[in-house]
Amino acid sequence: MPAITLIEYNGASHTIEAASGKSLMQNALENGVPGIDADCGGACACGTCHCFVEARWLPASGEADAMEEAMLGMRPDRTGQSRLSCQIEVTEELDGMVVRLPEYQM
Amino acid sequence: MNVAEKLPDALTMPLADIDVSDPRLYEQDAWRPYFARLRREEPVHFRADSPFGPFWSITRFDDIVAVDSDHGSFSSEPTIVIGDIPDDLPVEMFIAMDPPKHDLQRRAAQPVVAPQNLAAMEGLIRTRVEDILDGLSPGEPFDWVEKVSVNLTTQMLATLFDFPFEDRAKLTYWSDLAAGTPEMAGGDVTQEEQLTGMTECLQTFTQLWHERKGREGGFDLISLLQRDPNTADIVERPMEFLGNLMLLIVGGNDTTRNSATGGVLALNQNPAEYDKLRADPGLIPGMVSEIIRWQTPLAHMRRTATRDLEFRGKQIRKGDKVVMWYVSGNRDETAIERPEEFIIDRKNPRHHISFGFGIHRCMGNRLAEMQLRILWEEIMRRFHMVEVVGEPERVRSNFVRGYKTLPVRLHPL
Ligand code: HEM
Ligand code: FES
């Protein structure tokens, strides 16, 4: 099981044993990590599962498709590391990945 | 209330005759069985004839998310209400635009309602809520809509725009005009009245804009629009300027106002939930989301098909009106557990469709939630119960789901 570290905006760090095949969003929620709302339940339609993937993990985390791109475009705090965590599928390759959570979801 | 006009029987009438655009369904709070039948028997339904022309209805939660997410096939232009917009008032709002223009304009306006800004406003909002609640007299019945809901949301709007406080009633008046004509959503505002009001609104804000120009550091909406390079000259494009203003006025007004009323009604209809709330005011944030789901302040958003396409086995043609009925999606038993019930401690309370989904998802959602949270926190500090003592009077519209009056009596702690 890949270990993934999520760091809240206030610095609190959570390392979870993530389940492969599920999204990062689902894994975070199932492990009780705060800071992700996921209002749409993973349909890539709300943008409230926003996270920042540490640069060196970006390639392994996959690429945002057109719909995710459109949703990310609405985030005022978007950066080059922005992803929607419901669109990142956890794989063994992500073992050790570090992801930061934004100040707020909206 | 007027003597209710008789509506056809939802269960026995021919499916094709069901017309959920009939504003009386909402005025009489009679919509539930019609949508329940559509969700069951024909979730993507075509109505060939209505005062708003032919239209498709999307009634299930998942189908609404699918349509709302597919802005390429389902356009928000020229408008997002079931009816048509008046020709003499071609206002441009980004809620009724497709990318890329939509994205540019939304990005410019969005920071004003980002949670950081909201946190800065929380203190002021709480003070205003406290003043409103402390000014009420316990014991005597009064109209909650007028004294609290309208008063509160009008003050919020004035705060957002840094609008002259003594003139704030104008904001509410313009908001009521904006979507109130029979052509747009079945209301009773005349087009002439609307045109006069909108012209006044534009003039007032244009003047405010010029007065504010050069003033530094403001976090009100006008200052933010002035600072963003994409909108710094929006005042030169009056219909776009007016459109953005109306969007923020209507978006932030009717919806929050009717949630502030709906919550009182819902708790009165569900006394066990009111007890839960008294026992644990920590439930307020989740309850606020449940109120917004239960109320569904906007009954629908409309799209227009950009091409011929098949959707859930139905042949939709280019140019067809496609109406997403949020009011129905929020009652969809396949997406939400016990959807007819008002339950303030749901596991996943934000999983509702009242704010829409996709790129047009409500920009003010966190602001609305914050206002309602503060309202309930302050209500619970003061009153054992806000008791409903008569029937509410509802708005005649298939778009804005709201109340004209709700008689209540306060029981202090
Ligand atoms: C409970 C209160 C509210 C409800 C139920 C609500 C509902 C909605 C809905 C259904 C949409 C369209 C979503 C879609 O097409 O997918 C929307 C869009 C919008 N709302 Fe709200 N709203 C509320 C409060 C507010 C507030 C307080 C503001 C003030 C800032 C606001 C501003 C907007 C704006 C600007 C849009 C257009 C977004 C876009 O097209 O990108 N809303 N809202
Ligand atoms: S959960 Fe809604 S976009 Fe990811």
Side-chain angles (χ1 to χ4, degrees):
Chain A
M1 281 177 125
I4 295 180
T5 301
L6 298 110
I7 305 174
E8 287 181 69
Y9 188 74
N10 65 13
S13 169
H14 309 261
T15 300
I16 61 173
E17 293 294 320
S20 293
K22 285 188 183 176
S23 74
L24 176 60
M25 176 278 280
Q26 274 174 307
N27 271 293
L29 291 194
E30 282 166 18
N31 283 280
V33 178
I36 292 177
D37 292 348
D39 294 3
C40 76
C44 195
C46 71
T48 68
C49 63
H50 184 200
C51 68
F52 306 105
V53 175
E54 272 204 351
R56 68 192 179 97
W57 293 98
L58 271 175
S61 77
E63 218 166 290
D65 65 13
M67 181 141 144
E68 183 180 348
E69 217 19 78
M71 291 309 297
L72 282 173
M74 300 298 119
R75 307 256 54 81
D77 49 352
R78 183 199 183 155
T79 71
Q81 283 155 264
S82 289
R83 287 294 309 273
L84 294 179
S85 59
C86 71
Q87 301 302 304
I88 298 177
E89 192 192 321
V90 171
T91 60
E92 291 302 326
E93 271 174 89
L94 297 185
D95 188 29
M97 177 164 80
V98 179
V99 166
R100 288 175 190 277
L101 299 177
E103 184 175 4
Y104 52 80
Q105 303 284 358
M106 68 179 281
Chain B
M1 201 163 63
N2 303 331
V3 181
E5 295 162 58
K6 210 165 151 31
L7 298 167
D9 179 35
L11 294 180
T12 55
M13 69 191 292
L15 264 179
D17 289 352
I18 292 184
D19 179 3
V20 286
S21 76
D22 185 342
R24 296 174 307 171
L25 299 190
Y26 309 96
E27 184 181 37
Q28 297 179 26
D29 200 32
W31 48 274
R32 287 176 188 76
Y34 300 90
F35 282 113
R37 184 155 172 227
L38 290 186
R39 282 195 306 274
R40 218 168 36 236
E41 296 178 28
E42 192 149 286
V44 176
H45 172 260
F46 187 65
R47 171 70 191 161
D49 174 36
S50 90
F52 309 96
F55 66 94
W56 293 95
S57 286
I58 312 293
T59 61
R60 283 191 183 160
F61 193 102
D62 290 345
D63 291 349
I64 295 173
V65 176
V67 169
D68 228 348
S69 302
D70 185 358
H71 52 266
S73 306
F74 301 101
S75 167
S76 293
E77 299 177 8
T79 182
I80 45 74
V81 291
I82 189 169
D84 299 308
I85 37 172
D87 294 336
D88 52 0
L89 200 67
V91 282
E92 295 182 33
M93 316 194 182
F94 62 81
I95 197 172
M97 287 177 196
D98 293 330
K101 211 171 168 202
H102 161 268
D103 303 8
L104 276 178
Q105 292 207 6
R106 173 163 172 151
R107 238 174 266 151
Q110 179 137 308
V112 76
V113 286
Q116 305 138 308
N117 256 2
L118 298 187
M121 273 190 260
E122 175 157 354
L124 185 54
I125 292 179
R126 191 177 298 276
T127 310
R128 293 189 163 164
V129 170
E130 286 172 342
D131 287 347
I132 290 173
L133 295 179
D134 289 339
L136 301 170
S137 351
E140 303 159 34
F142 65 92
D143 177 17
W144 182 262
V145 173
E146 180 200 339
K147 289 267 172 17
V148 180
S149 306
V150 171
N151 201 0
L152 176 79
T153 43
T154 307
Q155 295 198 17
M156 293 307 135
L157 272 179
T159 310
L160 263 185
F161 285 108
D162 198 5
F163 192 81
F165 205 63
E166 53 302 345
D167 290 340
R168 63 188 187 276
K170 284 187 186 165
L171 293 168
T172 311
Y173 174 65
W174 295 328
S175 174
D176 290 343
L177 293 186
T181 64
E183 295 79 8
M184 286 164 86
D188 52 15
V189 171
T190 66
Q191 289 206 8
E192 195 186 339
E193 201 181 345
Q194 191 183 48
L195 186 62
T196 313
M198 292 302 101
T199 309
E200 189 201 4
C201 174
L202 179 61
Q203 283 166 351
T204 309
F205 273 99
T206 305
Q207 199 184 334
L208 263 184
W209 178 283
H210 292 302
E211 286 166 12
R212 201 155 294 174
K213 197 99 214 207
R215 195 176 82 176
E216 275 177 23
F219 275 92
D220 64 281
L221 201 77
I222 295 180
S223 303
L224 283 159
L225 289 172
Q226 287 178 336
R227 275 211 293 278
D228 191 293
N230 285 313
T231 48
D233 59 350
I234 192 173
V235 75
E236 316 286 331
R237 302 186 294 279
M239 285 305 121
E240 192 181 317
F241 185 43
L242 182 61
N244 272 282
L245 294 170
M246 288 323 300
L247 183 51
L248 285 145
I249 293 175
V250 180
N253 193 50
D254 281 348
T255 50
T256 317
R257 177 206 299 181
N258 290 317
S259 304
T261 306
V264 171
L265 191 59
L267 283 169
N268 272 264
Q269 291 175 359
N270 298 274
E273 299 302 301
Y274 214 151
D275 287 338
K276 270 194 220 164
L277 174 64
R278 284 186 201 102
D280 182 5
L283 297 174
I284 288 174
M287 175 180 81
V288 162
S289 292
E290 175 68 349
I291 289 172
I292 294 170
R293 180 191 75 88
W294 185 87
Q295 179 60 32
T296 319
L298 297 179
H300 78 260
M301 285 282 154
R302 165 208 154 175
R303 299 292 184 256
T304 304
T306 58
R307 57 187 179 88
D308 290 356
L309 56 95
E310 197 185 292
F311 187 78
R312 307 293 179 258
K314 302 281 182 180
Q315 205 53 54
I316 295 179
R317 304 242 166 254
K318 181 175 174 169
D320 283 358
K321 292 182 180 183
V322 178
V323 182
M324 303 175 284
W325 292 100
Y326 295 148
V327 69
S328 173
N330 273 334
R331 295 295 190 281
D332 183 346
E333 37 291 289
T334 64
I336 294 168
E337 238 175 89
R338 298 193 283 156
E340 288 300 339
E341 292 172 49
F342 176 76
I343 304 173
I344 67 170
D345 51 357
R346 285 184 182 272
K347 259 208 306 285
N348 197 355
R350 278 210 173 116
H351 188 61
H352 63 67
I353 208 151
S354 297
F355 291 129
F357 280 117
I359 59 166
H360 290 281
R361 181 173 160 79
C362 180
M363 194 179 92
N365 56 1
R366 297 306 188 240
L367 173 62
E369 288 170 356
M370 180 178 84
Q371 293 178 42
L372 294 166
R373 171 175 59 76
I374 294 173
L375 174 66
W376 280 100
E377 284 168 0
E378 297 305 324
I379 290 175
M380 296 313 290
R381 283 212 174 109
R382 288 168 176 75
F383 307 115
H384 174 74
M385 184 176 190
V386 182
E387 185 196 2
V388 173
V389 294
E391 283 298 308
E393 204 185 330
R394 293 184 166 82
V395 175
R396 177 184 278 221
S397 165
N398 59 34
F399 182 61
V400 171
R401 292 228 324 118
Y403 307 91
K404 288 186 174 164
T405 58
L406 181 71
V408 302
R409 184 174 20 226
L410 297 175
H411 300 266
L413 285 179

